Amino acid sequence: MYPCQVAMNTEYQTPVALPHLGVEVISDIGQGRVFLIIVDDLNYIALAHEIALQLSQRARVITLLSAAVTATSWEPLSEILSELVAKLAIRQASLVGLGAGATLAQNLVLVNPKLVRTLVVIDSSSRPHPSRWERLVDRIEGKLPFGLPLRLGLQGFNVKSYLHRLRCPLLVIGTQRASSFILSELQSLASLAPTAWQVTVSDKDSQTEAAALTATILAFQDTPAKCPQKNI
């Protein structure tokens, strides 16, 4: 079983490595309604922290660092995330998943829909860290009306299989870090999910990028949680 860890203080220190196993609270700042930021990639840590700092002026923001989310680790890590949320006594939250951290956020919506007010995914794919083979199969299958038998040979979580079950408002964001593959995945997620919107934040400066992302995330909170419509 993967361990979960709850930080005993709110002082932030930049992580130098991912947790070997499990999910850790790396910062807990601000007061009010709760945002959970979930990340599993050190390349997104600085961005996650800057977003947390800016959001914390309006809300309580808990940043979670996960071990690498893979085709084999996503399920136990998802269980650990659920346990951690329970330990933190969070009754409702808005989720922000960066990169493959979005896989854990998406699964949390599926297993505990009443917990999640809104879901924001940034630079995420339908699978956590997909291999070249998985990318090829997904790309071919996406062009066919009935899917491929090759799907049976692929392991792990694929959110495209569950998008019809998402009922909370979903915001899909691409940044300048995203590859062409990730951007195509984001477009696919936005088109398949019944309650999704898509935006692109292309600022290259880290400060203005974080500010633009924070403003976009905050504006999205005005979307009605019940019966959201794409045309509002």
Side-chain angles (χ1 to χ4, degrees):
M1 177 63 70
Y2 291 82
C4 62
Q5 298 184 18
V6 181
M8 300 306 293
N9 58 67
T10 59
E11 184 178 353
Y12 177 80
Q13 293 183 341
T14 302
V16 296
L18 293 175
H20 179 60
L21 297 171
V23 181
E24 298 177 357
V25 176
I26 58 173
S27 70
D28 185 346
I29 53 179
Q31 295 181 336
R33 62 181 179 180
V34 178
F35 282 84
L36 289 179
I37 298 178
I38 307 170
V39 59
D40 84 325
D41 187 337
L42 293 178
N43 292 321
Y44 281 92
I45 285 292
L47 177 61
H49 180 54
E50 191 59 38
I51 292 173
L53 286 176
Q54 296 186 30
L55 284 176
S56 68
Q57 299 176 25
R58 304 270 297 272
R60 179 187 178 191
V61 187
I62 303 171
T63 304
L64 306 176
L65 181 61
S66 169
V69 183
T70 66
T72 56
S73 71
W74 74 268
E75 193 166 14
L77 287 173
S78 293
E79 293 176 0
I80 292 305
L81 175 60
S82 294
E83 293 176 5
L84 184 54
V85 168
K87 285 185 177 182
L88 292 168
I90 297 171
R91 302 183 66 178
Q92 190 176 54
S94 296
L95 306 186
V96 180
L98 290 91
T103 295
L104 301 184
Q106 291 160 346
N107 190 65
L108 187 58
V109 175
L110 295 172
V111 300
N112 194 350
K114 292 183 179 180
L115 170 75
V116 181
R117 170 65 177 75
T118 61
L119 171 62
V120 178
V121 298
I122 300 174
D123 292 351
S124 69
S125 59
S126 57
R127 297 178 181 276
H129 301 297
S131 65
R132 290 184 179 180
W133 171 246
E134 289 171 331
R135 292 185 185 193
L136 176 61
V137 172
D138 286 343
R139 186 178 296 113
I140 296 174
E141 186 183 38
K143 298 180 181 298
L144 299 177
F146 301 110
L148 285 173
L150 292 174
R151 168 68 67 202
L152 299 177
L154 298 183
Q155 303 289 323
F157 182 84
N158 185 342
V159 72
K160 291 179 182 178
S161 302
Y162 305 99
L163 285 174
H164 63 284
R165 291 171 48 191
L166 291 182
R167 291 296 177 263
C168 70
L170 167 63
L171 180 61
V172 178
I173 303 179
T175 73
Q176 51 87 21
R177 294 172 173 78
S179 65
S180 58
F181 169 76
I182 293 296
L183 292 175
S184 67
E185 285 280 276
L186 294 172
Q187 184 175 4
S188 178
L189 293 177
S191 63
L192 292 173
T195 59
W197 291 258
Q198 182 180 12
V199 299
T200 300
V201 174
S202 56
D203 301 66
K204 294 184 178 180
D205 178 78
S206 59
Q207 293 293 323
T208 57
E209 178 188 44
L213 287 168
T214 301
T216 302
I217 292 168
L218 285 173
F220 188 63
Q221 303 311 303
D222 294 330
T223 305
K226 294 184 178 180
C227 302
Q229 299 294 322
K230 283 190 175 183
N231 60 356
I232 63 174

